[in-house]
Amino acid sequence: MPDDRMNSYRTGPDGRGRFGDFGGRFVSETLMPLILDLEAEYERAKTDDSFWAEMDFLWKHYVGRPSPLYFAERLTERLGGAKVYMKRDELNHTGAHKINNVLGQIILARRMGKTRIIAETGAGQHGVATATVCAKFGLKCVVYMGAHDVERQAPNVFRMRLLGAEVIPVTSGRGTLKDAMNDALRDWVTNVRDTFYCIGTVAGPHPYPAMVRDFQSIIGTEAKAQMQEAEGRLPDTIIAAIGGGSNAMGLFYPFLDDPEVRIIGVEAGGKGVNEKMEHCASLTGGRPGVLHGNRTYLLQDDDGQILEGFSISAGLDYPGIGPEHAWLHDIGRAEYVAITDREALGAFTLCCETEGIIPALEPCHALAHVMKIAPELPADHIICMNMCGRGDKDIFTVAKHLGVEMSV
Amino acid sequence: MTRIDDTFARLRAEKRKAFVAYVMAGDPNYETSKQIVLGLPSAGVDVIELGLPFTDPMADGPTIQLAGARALAGGQTLEKTLDIARALRATGDQTPIVLMGYYNPIYSRGVDRFLSEAKEAGIDGLIVVDLPPEEDEELCLPAQEAGLNFIRLATPTTDDRRLPKVLTNTTGFVYYVSITGITGAAAAEASQVAPEVARIKKATDLPVIVGFGIRTPETAQAIAEVADGAVVGTAIVGKIAEGRPVNEVLDYVRTLADGAHRG
């Protein structure tokens, strides 16, 4: 599939931090020197064996990697078509893929002599992972979280505080993930000397999209080897949910140059991708723009003002998407589809009942798409979906949607 | 030569410092905002910075964030922001207008279309916070080609190694950001700003104007004494937020302008 000119889909970004026309470094001058410092340090670390030795050690002994590749037998039977495997990143310490990336960034921060870590969080999973690793290394941790999310993700707020992090509810804008990211950037621009901004997804100014992808690629690298072991070949289709897109990029990246592997990203369709914008499907329902340091697909109005997304899942509730996904979408190497809240809830229930796994609402979007396509595919077709988070944090939301009263 | 270049040449000949005032276009509503802008030149403002509202102003503090939100809630658009510039030009006034904001509304409009419309509306320069020199091809170079100044921010983190890069392709004037932080946060200190301005002036012949953290006539004077001029934004926007009538806002602007002009 890679053409002669390019030979590989894995060479991006270019020297300007671009994936095709997407990505870049759209930040204020105050932050520019910090971003260049980070890029230089990351370039050094990337080829430093001691950096990866520390990562590998902690991935194994602290996070619990490798995460299993699990054949979902009863789900496969129920769907009656393709063979469904799950990459079990919900079994990581802290319950999601987020910690894969946080470890890398915190080790970098320590190499750079930074003592204060800031992060934005939506559902709270990235905030919890950051607070966790900061506690482990004795670093000060400040997490910005939209006031609306603080309310709907109370258990994660409590977790972060238990771990010693300061959680700052963000009331600017409309108090969601996008606004939390704005306030984190405002903090960074104010505290440039001692502070490291630990971004939770494959977005933001270069080098974040590439760096976070590299740290999350452990997911795809393991899955590839594990699939070889289990089936003696690569999967036919890989599927992951997308908010900013870090778990998906982590699964996809090692497979980009395997043309026989079909790659599908699943966006949050909310109440449906319609002109009322009650969704978070940036690729399906947005257009290119510039926000938070990068050019990518954004939900925006005709005048270039950013719109709020809508999703049952706080972790997918972001009006943009990582720039590498925007590029993969435009060149057609990956497909992107949208799944509604209702469909995601259906997947939640089915996963609990057939596999004894309570999934987070984010991977339920990926699973819902598996439910759509698996029955139409032959029994020798192998699907690998990324079970990127566990659902403990979501049981209150799900109970509410199922009409169940719960008191805490 | 733009109106900005003409203004600074005149100020230099008169040995006067510049007073630059920032207001958010459309705040608190289109009509009031227009009346304020029309009154700025006679309140002593040498250069008008007209804020282009954006939903996600990452470099701005709460006061300017809220001003942008009020403007957008009132239906302010890029087109109506250009209308305010057109209204000032219709009176024959030649005070330079710098549009200040973020890239996405401009990108969304289309760079070429935006530049020709801005030029036609009487805009003289652009300050686009999220376009560092690394992204000059996006807007900076096309803007210069269209005859608009592209004014860059230099900050305390812009060290000597980086300064030449920041100054290349900067025209009109250099905007020195006196603090690391967002608009309206810490107070600017003339004693800290002076050596920084001197450092920048050694590297460029452009006027160096200082902004962020200037909220009183006294600070405006102290800063103007060590630079080519001072910018006040948040303090003026704060007065507008209090719901003061136009003449009261303009009286307040005059006290700040007088301060800067004493410098």
Side-chain angles (χ1 to χ4, degrees):
Chain A
M1 227 195 236
D3 63 28
D4 290 342
R5 185 177 53 79
M6 226 162 37
N7 291 319
S8 170
Y9 290 109
R10 297 171 23 116
T11 56
D14 65 17
R16 299 162 65 211
R18 301 284 183 96
F19 302 91
D21 201 29
F22 300 104
R25 288 180 286 217
F26 296 90
V27 296
S28 64
E29 173 57 24
T30 310
L31 291 182
M32 203 57 222
L34 282 75
I35 281 164
L36 293 172
D37 280 353
L38 173 62
E39 185 184 351
E41 184 62 35
Y42 179 55
E43 286 304 317
R44 272 193 296 275
K46 242 174 26 181
T47 53
D48 179 347
D49 291 344
S50 71
F51 174 79
W52 291 107
E54 189 174 1
M55 289 288 286
D56 287 341
F57 182 86
L58 290 170
W59 268 338
K60 183 174 177 189
H61 298 284
Y62 192 66
V63 176
R65 301 208 72 90
S67 68
L69 180 73
Y70 167 73
F71 173 46
E73 198 173 351
R74 289 195 67 225
L75 180 73
T76 297
E77 267 170 35
R78 179 77 71 92
L79 297 178
K83 241 178 143 172
V84 180
Y85 280 84
M86 294 174 176
K87 178 62 176 160
R88 301 284 307 273
D89 253 54
E90 100 281 11
L91 293 176
N92 292 339
H93 182 37
T94 72
H97 66 290
K98 294 291 187 184
I99 197 164
N100 300 333
N101 158 52
V102 169
L103 264 185
Q105 290 198 47
I106 300 296
I107 293 172
L108 269 187
R110 279 160 51 84
R111 286 168 69 107
M112 296 175 79
K114 304 288 184 182
T115 53
R116 180 174 175 272
I117 308 297
I118 57 172
E120 85 293 335
T121 198
Q125 291 304 103
H126 175 60
V128 167
T130 307
T132 297
V133 181
C134 284
K136 182 193 156 32
F137 285 112
L139 296 164
K140 185 171 167 48
C141 179
V142 177
V143 179
Y144 289 90
M145 187 168 184
H148 179 58
D149 293 334
V150 167
E151 236 169 81
R152 61 175 168 172
Q153 301 287 340
N156 273 344
V157 174
F158 184 59
R159 276 188 196 106
M160 287 185 270
R161 289 184 172 145
L162 282 176
L163 293 160
E166 181 185 355
V167 180
I168 301 182
V170 173
T171 53
S172 68
R174 284 178 222 171
T176 60
L177 177 55
K178 156 179 99 70
D179 305 299
M181 197 149 179
N182 288 333
D183 266 17
L185 285 163
R186 289 176 187 127
D187 179 311
W188 202 23
V189 93
T190 307
N191 302 293
V192 293
R193 311 277 170 211
D194 65 342
T195 297
F196 184 100
Y197 182 15
C198 182
I199 294 185
T201 191
V202 284
H206 179 65
Y208 283 99
M211 182 172 70
V212 176
R213 172 202 70 197
D214 291 347
F215 293 147
Q216 291 293 3
S217 291
I218 185 75
I219 298 171
T221 304
E222 285 176 5
K224 213 170 176 176
Q226 290 165 322
M227 193 60 85
Q228 285 290 356
E229 200 179 314
E231 295 279 352
R233 65 175 181 96
L234 295 179
D236 299 292
T237 302
I238 57 176
I239 300 185
I242 297 187
S246 71
N247 91 80
M249 214 52 242
L251 177 66
F252 296 172
Y253 187 67
F255 290 98
L256 289 180
D257 288 337
D258 298 304
E260 67 273 32
V261 179
R262 183 181 176 196
I263 299 178
I264 305 175
V266 184
E267 297 191 284
K271 295 179 183 172
V273 180
N274 51 26
E275 67 290 343
K276 279 157 75 192
M277 285 287 172
E278 290 172 314
H279 62 89
C280 296
S282 321
L283 287 175
T284 320
R287 63 191 169 90
V290 173
L291 178 72
H292 293 154
N294 61 165
R295 172 166 28 232
T296 187
Y297 278 78
L298 298 172
L299 303 183
Q300 54 184 318
D301 69 12
D302 291 342
D303 216 40
Q305 304 296 340
I306 309 303
L307 299 171
E308 293 292 330
F310 177 88
S311 169
I312 188 173
S313 152
L316 301 179
D317 201 349
Y318 182 70
I321 182 167
E324 195 165 7
H325 285 296
W327 175 69
L328 291 170
H329 169 264
D330 275 19
I331 61 169
R333 175 61 187 102
E335 303 159 48
Y336 294 85
V337 298
I339 282 291
T340 63
D341 288 352
R342 187 185 293 272
E343 291 167 325
L345 280 167
F348 182 96
T349 312
L350 184 69
C351 188
C352 292
E353 289 170 2
T354 58
E355 294 298 341
I357 294 171
I358 301 178
L361 284 168
E362 291 80 14
C364 284
H365 288 73
L367 195 58
H369 193 66
V370 171
M371 288 163 59
K372 270 190 185 174
I373 64 170
E376 312 298 324
L377 292 166
D380 62 350
H381 187 105
I382 300 172
I383 297 176
C384 173
M385 67 81 59
N386 197 11
M387 182 56 72
C388 63
R390 62 173 173 244
D392 312 37
K393 68 181 175 61
D394 291 319
I395 54 173
F396 298 100
T397 307
V398 173
K400 198 173 133 198
H401 282 270
L402 297 179
V404 177
E405 290 265 345
M406 271 205 308
S407 55
V408 194
Chain B
M1 290 286 276
T2 64
R3 275 180 284 251
I4 295 172
D5 301 322
D6 292 341
T7 296
F8 280 106
R10 178 175 54 76
L11 288 169
R12 192 174 297 167
E14 294 169 2
K15 294 196 183 342
R16 268 159 36 99
K17 298 302 175 69
F19 178 65
V20 182
Y22 172 100
V23 292
M24 178 67 79
D27 173 40
N29 54 58
Y30 174 78
E31 200 49 41
T32 309
S33 169
K34 188 173 87 181
Q35 293 309 322
I36 292 170
V37 170
L38 292 177
L40 290 176
S42 51
V45 172
D46 300 300
V47 177
I48 297 167
E49 273 182 22
L50 191 57
L52 183 61
F54 183 48
T55 38
D56 294 80
M58 291 165 297
D60 285 302
T63 305
I64 291 181
Q65 289 172 36
L66 290 171
R70 281 192 298 271
L72 291 173
Q76 189 68 16
T77 58
L78 177 55
E79 186 61 33
K80 288 167 89 174
T81 298
L82 296 179
D83 282 343
I84 292 177
R86 290 184 185 110
L88 182 71
R89 293 294 174 242
T91 68
D93 190 279
Q94 296 302 311
T95 306
I97 304 174
V98 175
L99 211 54
M100 180 166 183
Y102 298 80
Y103 185 38
N104 199 52
I106 294 171
Y107 180 73
S108 168
R109 188 73 153 199
V111 165
D112 292 340
R113 179 180 169 195
F114 164 78
L115 288 173
S116 71
E117 288 173 353
K119 182 83 182 160
E120 165 270 317
I123 301 291
D124 304 288
L126 305 174
I127 300 176
V128 183
V129 180
D130 50 355
L131 284 178
E134 280 74 4
E135 303 291 352
D136 268 358
E137 284 164 32
E138 294 284 333
L139 180 66
C140 171
L141 299 178
Q144 318 257 19
E145 208 153 293
L148 291 170
N149 287 132
F150 196 87
I151 294 130
R152 191 106 60 197
L153 306 181
T155 72
T157 60
T158 312
D159 60 15
D160 285 336
R161 201 161 38 103
R162 186 166 168 79
L163 188 57
K165 188 163 188 141
V166 170
L167 294 173
T168 307
N169 300 331
T170 298
T171 60
F173 61 92
V174 179
Y175 186 133
Y176 180 67
V177 176
S178 65
I179 54 164
T180 59
I182 51 180
T183 52
E189 290 285 343
S191 60
Q192 283 171 19
V193 166
E196 291 296 302
V197 171
R199 180 169 73 94
I200 295 167
K201 288 190 79 75
K202 239 186 265 173
T204 180
D205 293 330
L206 291 171
V208 179
I209 309 301
V210 178
F212 281 45
I214 304 172
R215 17 185 8 119
T216 65
E218 294 71 28
T219 317
Q221 178 180 351
I223 293 291
E225 275 167 8
V226 301
D228 296 308
V231 189
V232 179
T234 297
I236 298 170
V237 172
K239 281 279 182 270
I240 296 170
E242 289 168 15
R244 304 298 172 102
V246 171
N247 62 336
E248 230 177 275
V249 172
L250 293 173
D251 286 344
Y252 176 69
V253 170
R254 195 171 292 106
T255 64
L256 293 161
D258 290 347
H261 289 145
R262 278 194 297 272

